[in-house]
Amino acid sequence: MKNHQKASLNTLRIGATMGVPDVLRSLGRDPAAVLAEVGIGLDLFDNPNNLISFAARGQMLAHCANRTRCPHFGLLVGERGGLSSFGLVGLLAKYSPNVGEALYRLVRFMHLHVRGATTS
């Protein structure tokens, strides 16, 4: 498998970072302009099931932190999420009968949310 093909397998749903445009707005920045600077269209955030590579997500979050001069930008984005940001995996955890089963389901099914990483 070629490197660019392998890299394309390392993706995750945009769901966990759906708050990026709102956080940019709250910090006085135009989301479309800031995201365009790293080659990301605002339409990526139209559907939480859209995929983004790990590298592109990391670059996006670092760029947003730099442009807003907010080193805890990623934390602000994370605060806006919840179990729903993990899609079906989050629902499985939410409706588990107990905490142990919720954690088991998160680990067992996280591959539906993230490709190229292991959850344990």
Side-chain angles (χ1 to χ4, degrees):
M1 181 179 285
K2 295 181 181 178
N3 285 339
H4 69 279
Q5 290 172 323
K6 187 174 184 181
S8 69
L9 297 177
N10 298 325
T11 60
L12 66 157
R13 293 173 59 257
I14 196 69
T17 50
M18 289 290 288
V20 167
D22 288 338
V23 174
L24 285 168
R25 280 186 206 95
S26 75
L27 295 172
R29 300 290 182 197
D30 174 15
V34 173
L35 295 170
E37 292 169 358
V38 288
I40 294 175
L42 200 52
D43 61 338
L44 178 66
F45 298 90
D46 289 348
N47 183 338
N49 291 316
N50 287 337
L51 299 176
I52 188 170
S53 73
F54 282 100
R57 184 186 68 162
Q59 181 183 17
M60 172 187 69
L61 291 172
H63 180 72
C64 290
N66 288 332
R67 292 288 278 126
T68 60
R69 295 186 180 146
C70 180
H72 59 281
F73 183 87
L75 180 62
L76 296 176
V77 171
E79 285 179 333
R80 294 172 190 254
L83 283 176
S84 63
S85 66
F86 292 108
L88 291 174
V89 178
L91 287 175
L92 283 170
K94 181 178 181 177
Y95 293 107
S96 295
N98 56 58
V99 173
E101 184 66 19
L103 291 173
Y104 169 79
R105 290 175 178 182
L106 280 173
V107 171
R108 171 69 179 90
F109 296 106
M110 190 56 76
H111 70 277
L112 299 173
H113 177 73
V114 178
R115 290 181 178 83
T118 302
T119 307
S120 60

